[in-house]
């Protein structure tokens, strides 16, 4: 599959890719271009900037960030197979910034192509819409996590979520995954300070739950990690009671 669709084979993988016909998979592959490798901290789309294209993440990680009172907050993470700003097709200007976390490979899709696809291929248009609604489901879970969990729970939830999302696109190992975020960036995603986060990381390591070192997350005890983060993967639509079967097929 990756040979036939080298840039797009991870799109909706593990969720609803089975609902795409082969012709639709080809359309998605062909709409991605040009492709570019970008460096860490490269801004893909800035808050308030007019967008005429959307960005598909092929390799690496990206984040959505918001600046408040001189501090950056990471409000969403993206993994390969995600559109980082497909909603810019409708909104045109975003209320946040999209930035690379570590080196990444991205493909750009002009909005004029999306307009044609939506007009000519309504089922594929619905599947693109589905991908933006997955983002919304993840956003809701992040809001709930930030509201109800202490810092230790937030970190555990974030790491459990990233492992599940990466595993859906065949990038999560049994015992963990590679993650280029610094502790400062992880603190930005967990709503805490790097000093406090460092204490929490040490606590989880000493408890034999997870380790974070040199760009690698090692999960020592996944059930306890998910318990600490009150994590239920159903909202990712890859398993559980929300798992899709043939509901979105033609």
């Amino acid at each position: 599959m990756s040979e036939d669709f080298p840039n797009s084979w991870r799109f909706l993988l593990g969720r609803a890719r089975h609902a795409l016909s082969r012709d639709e998979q080809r359309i998605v592959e062909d709409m991605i271009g040009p492709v570019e490798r970008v460096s860490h901290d490269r801004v893909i789309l800035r808050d308030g900037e007019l967008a005429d294209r959307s960005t598909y993440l092929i390799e690496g990680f990206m984040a959505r960030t918001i600046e408040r009172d001189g501090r950056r907050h990471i409000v969403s993470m993206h993994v390969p197979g995600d559109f980082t700003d497909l909603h810019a097709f409708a909104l045109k200007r975003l209320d946040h910034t999209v930035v690379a976390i570590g080196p990444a490979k991205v493909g750009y899709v002009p909005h004029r192509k999306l307009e044609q696809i939506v007009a000519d291929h309504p089922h594929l248009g619905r599947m693109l819409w589905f991908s933006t609604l997955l983002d919304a489901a993840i956003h809701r879970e992040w809001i709930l996590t930030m509201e109800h969990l202490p810092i230790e729970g937030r970190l555990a939830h974030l790491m459990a979520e990233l492992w599940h999302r990466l595993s859906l696109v065949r990038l999560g190992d049994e015992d963990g995954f590679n993650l280029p975020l610094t502790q400062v960036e992880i603190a930005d995603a967990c709503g805490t300070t790097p000093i406090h986060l460092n204490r929490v990381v040490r606590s989880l390591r000493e408890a034999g739950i997870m380790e974070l070192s040199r760009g690698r997350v090692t999960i020592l005890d996944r059930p306890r990690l998910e318990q600490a983060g009150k994590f239920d993967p159903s909202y990712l639509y890859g398993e559980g009671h929300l798992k899709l079967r043939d509901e979105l097929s033609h």
Side-chain angles (χ1 to χ4, degrees), residues 81-138:
D82 290 352
F83 273 95
T84 65
D85 55 2
L86 188 58
H87 53 305
F89 174 50
L91 293 173
K92 292 305 177 184
R93 299 181 192 273
L94 301 184
D95 61 348
H96 55 273
T97 295
V98 179
V99 61
I101 301 292
K105 182 180 180 182
V106 299
Y108 302 107
V109 183
H111 287 172
R112 55 178 173 76
K113 283 189 179 180
L114 290 174
E115 290 174 1
Q116 196 65 49
I117 288 169
V118 169
D120 295 345
H121 305 278
H123 180 259
L124 180 53
R126 181 184 182 189
M127 300 305 294
L128 292 168
W129 186 19
F130 173 78
S131 75
T132 67
L133 297 178
L134 280 177
D135 289 344
I138 293 170

Side-chain angles (χ1 to χ4, degrees), residues 153-221:
R154 295 178 202 171
L155 176 61
H157 191 282
L158 175 64
M159 295 307 162
E161 177 188 284
L162 287 175
W163 181 84
H164 275 268
R165 291 172 68 185
L166 289 167
S167 294
L168 285 169
V169 295
R170 303 178 188 172
L171 289 171
D173 300 327
E174 182 63 28
D175 66 344
F177 53 93
N178 295 326
L179 185 69
L181 274 76
T182 65
Q183 288 205 13
V184 171
E185 290 161 340
I186 296 173
D188 289 345
C190 292
T192 189
T193 65
I195 293 174
H196 194 176
L197 182 82
N198 187 57
R199 289 197 292 266
V200 171
V201 169
R202 184 171 63 248
S203 174
L204 291 174
R205 182 181 66 248
E206 292 173 351
I209 295 175
M210 61 159 278
E211 293 181 350
L212 178 61
S213 178
R214 298 180 181 180
R216 175 76 183 177
V217 175
T218 301
I219 299 175
L220 305 173
D221 191 328

Side-chain angles (χ1 to χ4, degrees), residues 64 74-78 136-148 154 157-158 161-162 165 188-190 235:
R64 300 185 197 178
I74 292 178
V75 297
S76 182
M77 288 293 303
H78 286 287
I138 293 170
H139 275 300
R140 286 190 291 274
E141 190 71 16
W142 276 45
I143 291 169
L144 189 64
T145 297
M146 293 292 285
E147 179 70 22
H148 292 287
R154 295 178 202 171
H157 191 282
L158 175 64
E161 177 188 284
L162 287 175
R165 291 172 68 185
D188 289 345
C190 292
Y235 70 98

